[in-house]
Amino acid sequence: MTPNTVGKTPVTMLGLGAMGTALARAWLAAGHPLTVWNRTPARAAVLADEGARVADNGAEAVAANPLIVVCLLDDTSVGEVLADTDLADKDVVNLTTSTPAQARARAEWARERGARYLDGGIMAVPPMIGLPEAGGYVFYSGSRELFERHQETLVVPVGTVYVGKDAGFAALHDVALLSAMYGMFAGAAHAFALIRKEDIDPASLAPLLADWLVAMAPAVHQTADHLRNGDYTKGVASNLAMQVAGTPTFLKTAEEQGVSPQLLSPYFELMRRRLAEGGGEEDLTGVIDLLVH
């Protein structure tokens, strides 16, 4: 054992796709003894040259260390890879993208096999791993004791944010943030489509659009406050009635520009429904209640 590895928690890494490989390299660079396994052996062989021990199969990899980190294609893959392994008294950290229900079921599945379980939702892309300045992090949920026991190791590749003892909360936070991201991308796509046929350089619109989205982002704090206290009219500057009255202009502009309104129309329809229910003095928070079954 070299001085660089003294006192460092050994890690087993199952899954060496782009993200798994980035995580593995970060632990290796920090001096953590690392055992790896991947269905495609060639990916593991590359890490062997960098100091990792390559297991012949998943069971051997799991047996090698108490801390098992899993980053596979999907929840089904997790079940398949761990099916014939001995998980008794192991600490399983599952970073595979899943739904909240899958995470909760997997936590119970692990508990029945004698393992302790922590679920994770990665808010980063592989190039951000190992670079603290990039701002990436992982949501963790499940056993707080397990999170605190391994936080020093888990924070090596990327930041950590614990979001609760419910094993499904990491996946839920992950999907919630990514859903908001796609909504933002949808709005940006519509904006660029509007100018697509005009003599307007998209590069000139981009900084204006970015600054506008940044300026609007703090509105989520008011939405959260409304949801918490139940008063959707508190501090409203542009009420729903006024905003609905303006939507025909957006739809007409799209028509004039030859742009489909399909990214805007569903949201506008929800706004009109909320208005019809008497929410004219509210802001847009009431739309959330229409989305929840």
Side-chain angles (χ1 to χ4, degrees), residues 112-274:
E112 291 172 352
R113 286 157 179 77
R116 293 167 292 271
Y117 184 89
L118 198 63
D119 203 78
I122 304 175
M123 301 305 297
V125 292
M128 299 170 70
I129 303 302
L131 299 174
E133 65 275 15
Y137 57 90
V138 176
F139 286 123
Y140 287 100
S141 61
S143 168
R144 177 178 280 279
E145 186 276 332
L146 184 57
F147 172 74
E148 292 177 349
R149 180 189 307 170
H150 293 299
Q151 185 177 15
E152 185 176 343
T153 300
L154 297 175
V155 80
V156 167
V158 64
T160 61
V161 179
Y162 181 78
V163 291
K165 65 180 181 180
D166 185 320
F169 278 8
L172 185 56
H173 278 72
D174 180 18
V175 174
L177 265 61
L178 291 175
S179 296
M181 177 193 76
Y182 282 116
M184 178 189 72
F185 287 165
H190 187 86
F192 280 116
L194 288 174
I195 70 163
R196 189 67 172 146
K197 295 179 180 179
E198 304 291 347
D199 187 19
I200 298 175
D201 185 353
S204 70
L205 181 69
L208 301 174
L209 181 56
D211 289 348
W212 178 249
L213 292 174
V214 169
M216 292 298 101
V220 301
H221 298 294
Q222 179 168 282
T223 300
D225 183 59
H226 286 172
L227 291 170
R228 173 179 283 181
N229 63 42
D231 181 0
Y232 297 176
T233 66
K234 180 183 177 182
V236 173
S238 301
N239 66 33
L240 183 62
M242 183 176 70
Q243 294 197 52
V244 169
T247 58
T249 298
F250 296 100
L251 297 174
K252 184 62 175 176
T253 299
E255 180 184 352
E256 292 176 356
Q257 296 301 114
V259 173
S260 170
Q262 65 190 48
L263 294 175
L264 295 182
S265 293
Y267 192 61
F268 287 170
E269 175 57 27
L270 288 169
M271 290 166 60
R272 287 191 291 270
R273 282 178 53 193
R274 186 66 180 182

Side-chain angles (χ1 to χ4, degrees), residues 68-110:
I68 315 301
V69 179
V70 186
C71 190
L72 297 168
L73 177 64
D74 53 23
D75 181 67
T76 299
S77 300
V78 175
E80 292 173 350
V81 169
L82 295 180
D84 297 323
T85 65
D86 182 3
L87 294 177
D89 207 32
K90 297 292 183 178
D91 295 338
V92 177
V93 178
N94 185 12
L95 301 183
T96 303
T97 300
S98 63
T99 70
Q102 287 173 332
R104 291 170 184 137
R106 188 58 62 190
E108 178 62 19
W109 180 91

